């Protein structure tokens, strides 16, 4: 109840008279009633009193004491008004001393209740409960009704809201409402410092424990990170990736909401509490990526660095919004610095990767013209990079690609001239592939057999195209790039067939059905036998790993050779020479035989695919 003051209208000719004795007596009576009412309930719940009742050990804010708690807070409010009046009118009265003592007792009780609510409802006051609903909504709950709304209206709202709120959430909201009411009472009574101290101790302990449970090592400084074995650090990175997501999405937002709700009477206090509670743990969390970025940079570490960059980048909107005050500016700058340092590290590793391709020391050839280790390594690496397109776009956006001129092998073309390749990431990845293809072109020259060098190029380019098709590289490089390189594979295959089987084709007459002397017929059969056996025996150790490409080559070879040989065989290998004693030795292969031999071709089977000798056919060498 507010004190009532009676004032006379001021007169221009005389001073306003002081308050009448009747007014002072009435106000004093009201203040004394407030103090006496407060004393009854405060003393009842005073656990330090020698004559305290059993209720003083119970929780004032339990469900059984709802009305008592409401009365207690109301009495504290009345006591405060009485003290304000006495300070203004009777600063030296014994009644003020009595009121001050009661207020101290009440504040100790509220401190105890404030602490006890946090402890009793620890698992209901976890951040996940609060990050699930907005800090702007604070619905009433069945455990509390301390708002300034009309009681009937409050209860009606409470019933309506409770119908749609899960049980655990109702408990947490009710506990927060009690904490808010206590904080408001203590702050208005001038005990904000004590209230905040309890809040910070309890919630900071909770945050620190939660971060520890997530595996955040706050002792892991830059020196320790740089001395750590990569295998161990990689495990730390994986743990951090999980921890930072939980912390930024759940832990810190929950604490922010809780601070805002408990200290809704003073947003500045809520902000201060949140900053104090979260700053130390969040700083340790956000410093970790920056510390990792200072480690030795090698290409194999690239993907973990990209994971860290992606995590910080994706969470940055939440970080910026949540830590938006001056007191948490260090956290924002730490997160930004992590992105900058990680981006620099990734660019350094991309440069190292490019250099490693250019300086690949391998001098030996791959047996059978198969897939070179450099091809597998580079394409696996680049296809993984393609999974980080969005992250790489940020990192290379302001990092122009410098292409040397002239190119190591201009035959492949420059990615800058590819109309289908436009983004910085696409251009850079196309350039890395180009470098590798140029390097492979040089390795192909190490083969003594030119046809095998073309088979090597076909195999490796087919592997490249396959990797592009099976990954996000297809989106980045485009259909035009894929089509162009598929045509190049066919060109390599055609060169292999033309040069690898040229002797076999040359052994047959240009017109297999034209009449030619018998001696020339014999020479053609002899030359075909020698050329086919030599070529086939050599190429059984050659390999085409891709089944589709291998089948295409076999079909193409069959179409080139079998029709010509079949016409020649049917014209001269039949009745015309059958009377000769050595005909079976001269005509060693039927057209169907060629198809059977080709079934083992390019499997890398070696001697298992050797050509049958003429002795196996019962004849003699021609």
């Amino acid at each position: 109840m507010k004190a009532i003051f009676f004032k006379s209208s001021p007169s221009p000719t005389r001073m306003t008279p002081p308050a009448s004795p009747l007014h002072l007596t009435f106000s004093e009576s009201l203040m004394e009633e407030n103090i006496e009412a407060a004393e009854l309930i405060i003393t009842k719940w005073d656990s330090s009193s020698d004559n305290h009742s059993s209720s003083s050990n119970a929780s004032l804010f339990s469900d059984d004491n709802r009305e008592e708690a409401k009365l207690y807070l109301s009495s504290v409010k009345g006591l405060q008004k009485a003290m304000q009046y006495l300070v203004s009118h009777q600063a030296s009265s014994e009644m003020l001393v009595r009121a001050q003592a009661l207020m101290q007792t009440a504040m100790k009780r509220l401190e105890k209740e404030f602490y006890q609510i946090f402890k009793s409802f620890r698992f209901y006051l976890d951040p996940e409960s609060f990050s699930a609903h907005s800090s702007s909504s604070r619905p009433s709950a069945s455990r509390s009704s301390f708002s300034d709304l009309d009681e009937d209206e409050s209860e009606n709202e409470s019933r309506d809201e409770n119908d749609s709120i899960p049980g655990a959430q109702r408990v947490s909201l009710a506990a927060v409402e009690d904490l808010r009411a206590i904080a408001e009472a203590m702050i208005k009574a001038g005990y904000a410092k004590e209230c905040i101290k309890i809040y910070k101790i309890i919630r900071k302990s909770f945050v620190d424990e939660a971060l520890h449970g997530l595996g955040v090592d706050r002792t892991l400084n830059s020196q320790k990170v740089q001395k750590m074995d990569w295998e161990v650090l990689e495990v730390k990175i994986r743990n951090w990736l999980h921890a930072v997501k939980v912390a930024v999405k759940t832990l810190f937002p929950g604490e922010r909401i809780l601070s805002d709700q408990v200290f809704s009477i003073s947003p500045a206090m809520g902000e201060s509490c949140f900053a104090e509670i979260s700053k130390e743990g969040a700083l340790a969390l956000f410093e970790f990526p920056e510390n990792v970025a200072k480690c030795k940079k090698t290409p194999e570490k690239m993907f973990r660095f990209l994971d860290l960059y992606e995590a910080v980048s994706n969470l940055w909107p939440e970080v910026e919004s949540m830590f938006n005050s001056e007191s948490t500016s260090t956290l924002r700058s730490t997160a930004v610095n992590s992105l900058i340092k990680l981006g620099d590290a990734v660019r350094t590793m991309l440069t190292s990767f490019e250099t490693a391709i250019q300086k690949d020391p391998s001098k030996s050839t791959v047996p059978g013209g198969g897939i070179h280790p450099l091809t597998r390594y580079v394409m696996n690496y680049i296809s993984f990079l393609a999974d980080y397109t969005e992250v790489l776009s940020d990192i290379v956006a302001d990092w122009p690609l410098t292409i040397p001129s002239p190119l190591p092998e201009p035959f492949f073309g420059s990615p800058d001239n590819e109309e289908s390749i436009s983004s910085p990431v696409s251009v850079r990845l196309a350039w890395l592939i180009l470098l590798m293809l140029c390097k492979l072109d040089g390795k192909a020259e190490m083969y003594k057999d030119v046809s095998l060098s073309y088979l090597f190029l076909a195999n490796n380019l087919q592997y490249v195209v396959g990797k592009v098709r099976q990954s996000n590289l297809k989106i980045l490089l485009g259909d035009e790039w894929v089509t162009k390189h598929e045509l190049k594979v066919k060109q390599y295959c055609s060169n292999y067939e033309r040069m690898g089987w040229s002797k076999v084709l040359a052994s047959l007459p240009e017109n297999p059905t034209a009449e030619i002397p018998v001696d020339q017929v014999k020479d053609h059969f002899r030359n075909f036998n020698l050329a086919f056996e030599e070529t086939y025996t050599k190429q059984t150790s050659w390999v085409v790993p891709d089944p589709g490409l291998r089948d295409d080559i076999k079909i193409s070879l069959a179409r080139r050779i079998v029709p010509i040989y079949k016409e020649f065989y049917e014209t001269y290998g039949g009745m015309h020479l059958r009377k000769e004693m050595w005909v079976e030795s001269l005509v060693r292969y039927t057209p169907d035989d060629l198809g059977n031999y080709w079934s083992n071709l390019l499997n890398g089977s070696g001697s298992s695919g050797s050509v049958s000798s003429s002795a196996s056919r019962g004849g003699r060498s021609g």
Side-chain angles (χ1 to χ4, degrees):
M1 181 180 296
K2 294 183 179 179
I4 301 175
F5 296 88
F6 296 94
K7 293 184 180 180
S8 301
S9 300
S11 169
T13 59
R14 66 170 185 257
M15 298 291 291
T16 302
S20 68
L22 178 62
H23 166 71
L24 290 175
T25 302
F26 180 66
S27 297
E28 288 174 3
S29 176
L30 288 176
M31 295 306 102
E32 188 171 0
E33 287 180 8
N34 282 351
I35 294 172
E36 288 176 352
E39 186 173 26
L40 285 174
I41 191 166
I42 290 173
T43 303
K44 178 181 178 181
W45 289 90
D46 180 13
S47 58
S48 64
S49 172
D50 293 336
N51 299 317
H52 66 268
S53 65
S54 59
S55 63
S56 60
N57 291 322
S59 173
L60 177 58
F61 287 82
S62 66
D63 288 336
D64 295 336
N65 297 310
R66 291 287 91 199
E67 292 302 319
E68 288 277 303
K70 187 174 182 181
L71 180 59
Y72 196 98
L73 292 175
S74 179
S75 298
V76 169
K77 186 176 182 181
L79 183 61
Q80 183 185 2
K81 289 182 178 180
M83 291 175 65
Q84 291 172 344
Y85 173 82
L86 292 170
V87 167
S88 300
H89 297 88
Q90 300 181 32
S92 59
S93 71
E94 293 182 1
M95 195 180 301
L96 178 58
V97 175
R98 177 184 169 194
Q100 288 173 332
L102 284 173
M103 183 62 78
Q104 289 177 353
T105 301
M107 291 300 106
K108 287 181 181 179
R109 181 71 204 194
L110 290 180
E111 283 183 45
K112 178 182 177 181
E113 294 289 338
F114 197 67
Y115 178 86
Q116 192 60 42
I117 291 172
F118 273 118
K119 290 297 182 181
S120 299
F121 297 93
R122 173 182 175 84
F123 296 107
Y124 291 99
L125 296 173
D126 64 292
E128 191 171 356
S129 299
F130 300 105
S131 57
H133 49 83
S134 170
S135 60
S136 62
S137 63
R138 196 178 67 242
S140 302
S142 59
R143 290 190 64 252
S144 193
S145 56
F146 302 124
S147 69
D148 292 331
L149 296 173
D150 178 76
E151 185 172 341
D152 291 336
E153 181 184 351
S154 176
E155 289 178 356
N156 289 335
E157 286 187 3
S158 176
R159 282 192 296 271
D160 292 340
E161 291 165 347
N162 286 339
D163 289 341
S164 60
I165 300 175
Q169 190 173 329
R170 284 203 300 271
V171 174
S172 67
L173 289 171
V176 171
E177 198 65 14
D178 289 346
L179 291 168
R180 182 197 62 77
I182 294 173
E184 182 176 335
M186 294 184 71
I187 292 169
K188 286 183 176 180
Y191 283 77
K193 183 178 180 180
E194 289 78 1
C195 181
I196 289 173
K197 181 179 179 181
I198 295 172
Y199 186 90
K200 287 180 178 179
I201 290 173
I202 294 175
R203 295 316 296 179
K204 187 175 186 302
S205 174
F206 184 93
V207 169
D208 292 346
E209 184 179 333
L211 289 173
H212 178 74
L214 290 170
V216 178
D217 186 354
R218 290 164 59 180
T219 67
L220 202 60
N221 56 29
S222 178
Q223 291 75 18
K224 289 183 179 180
V225 169
Q226 292 182 58
K227 292 179 181 178
M228 195 172 290
D229 290 339
W230 175 246
E231 292 76 13
V232 177
L233 183 55
E234 199 170 14
V235 173
K236 295 283 187 183
I237 292 173
R238 285 197 293 265
N239 289 341
W240 183 90
L241 291 171
H242 169 71
V244 73
K245 188 174 182 179
V246 175
V248 174
K249 293 284 189 180
T250 302
L251 179 61
F252 294 134
E255 289 299 327
R256 180 63 185 261
I257 294 170
L258 183 59
S259 296
D260 289 346
Q261 289 187 354
V262 172
F263 296 99
S264 60
I265 189 176
S266 175
M269 288 183 185
E271 175 62 42
S272 174
C273 286
F274 171 70
E276 183 72 21
I277 289 164
S278 60
K279 190 173 183 179
E280 188 176 331
L283 192 61
L285 190 71
F286 296 142
E287 281 180 342
F288 178 76
E290 185 176 350
N291 291 337
V292 173
K294 296 175 184 177
C295 294
K296 185 178 180 181
K297 300 160 188 66
T298 54
E300 66 269 15
K301 298 177 182 178
M302 169 82 77
F303 301 105
R304 289 304 175 197
F305 278 61
L306 288 172
D307 287 336
L308 290 171
Y309 188 101
E310 184 177 47
V312 178
S313 179
N314 288 344
L315 293 171
W316 170 246
E318 286 92 340
V319 172
E320 186 179 31
S321 174
M322 188 162 39
F323 302 108
N324 59 359
S325 66
E326 182 64 30
S327 58
T328 53
S329 60
T330 304
L331 300 178
R332 298 195 304 276
S333 61
T334 301
V336 171
N337 286 336
S338 289
L339 286 176
I340 293 172
K341 297 296 184 183
L342 287 168
D344 291 341
V346 169
R347 286 189 285 271
T348 298
M349 286 184 279
L350 280 172
T351 301
S352 298
F353 181 64
E354 179 179 329
T355 302
I357 296 173
Q358 292 173 323
K359 296 183 177 180
D360 178 68
S362 176
K363 298 293 183 181
S364 60
T365 57
V366 180
I371 311 301
H372 198 281
L374 178 67
T375 308
R376 295 185 188 276
Y377 174 70
V378 170
M379 289 311 301
N380 285 334
Y381 197 95
I382 293 177
S383 63
F384 280 130
L385 282 178
D387 293 336
Y388 294 88
T389 302
E390 187 174 347
V391 177
L392 286 171
S393 296
D394 290 339
I395 293 174
V396 305
D398 299 322
W399 188 40
L401 175 64
T402 303
I403 298 177
S405 180
L407 291 171
E409 177 51 67
F411 181 79
F412 292 108
S414 167
D416 272 354
N417 296 328
E418 297 278 4
E419 293 182 1
S420 62
I421 300 176
S422 56
S423 74
V425 175
S426 301
V427 170
R428 191 164 294 274
L429 296 186
W431 166 243
L432 291 174
I433 294 175
L434 173 60
L435 283 180
M436 181 198 65
L437 293 176
C438 293
K439 196 73 177 179
L440 291 174
D441 194 58
K443 295 181 185 299
E445 296 176 358
M446 299 179 187
Y447 290 99
K448 295 179 181 180
D449 193 310
V450 178
S451 61
L452 180 56
S453 67
Y454 280 117
L455 188 66
F456 168 80
L457 290 173
N459 281 330
N460 283 267
L461 187 55
Q462 177 69 13
Y463 184 87
V464 171
V465 172
K467 277 292 182 181
V468 171
R469 280 193 169 279
Q470 297 163 14
S471 67
N472 287 331
L473 285 169
K474 187 176 187 300
I475 300 173
L476 290 169
L477 302 181
D479 292 333
E480 183 181 337
W481 188 98
V482 173
T483 301
K484 171 186 173 182
H485 288 82
E486 285 179 334
L487 290 174
K488 194 67 182 175
V489 172
K490 291 180 179 179
Q491 182 180 342
Y492 286 144
C493 290
S494 178
N495 290 343
Y496 150 74
E497 294 169 15
R498 178 174 52 82
M499 302 189 73
W501 292 84
S502 59
K503 289 185 178 180
V504 176
L505 286 168
S507 68
L508 297 171
E510 292 184 10
N511 186 352
T513 60
E515 290 190 14
I516 57 176
V518 173
D519 289 343
Q520 289 186 22
V521 171
K522 293 178 181 179
D523 287 341
H524 280 302
F525 274 111
R526 289 191 187 98
N527 292 337
F528 178 85
N529 295 338
L530 290 173
F532 180 78
E533 289 170 8
E534 178 187 352
T535 301
Y536 181 83
T537 301
K538 177 174 60 177
Q539 294 192 18
T540 52
S541 62
W542 295 4
V543 62
V544 177
D546 186 277
L549 182 62
R550 185 167 61 244
D551 289 343
D552 288 344
I553 291 175
K554 290 179 181 181
I555 292 171
S556 179
L557 283 173
R559 288 174 177 171
R560 279 175 179 261
I561 298 172
V562 173
I564 299 175
Y565 182 77
K566 184 176 181 181
E567 286 186 326
F568 183 63
Y569 176 87
E570 290 176 348
T571 303
Y572 295 103
M575 296 300 295
H576 294 80
L577 300 177
R578 195 168 296 281
K579 295 180 180 179
E580 301 286 343
M581 293 293 294
W582 39 264
V583 68
E584 290 190 5
S585 176
L586 182 65
V587 185
R588 298 180 184 176
Y589 308 103
T590 67
D592 290 338
D593 288 335
L594 299 184
N596 294 332
Y597 282 115
W598 264 312
S599 65
N600 290 324
L601 191 66
L602 303 178
N603 290 323
S605 55
S607 59
S608 63
S610 59
V611 182
S612 302
S613 66
S614 60
S616 66
R617 299 179 59 88
R620 62 181 178 83
S621 177

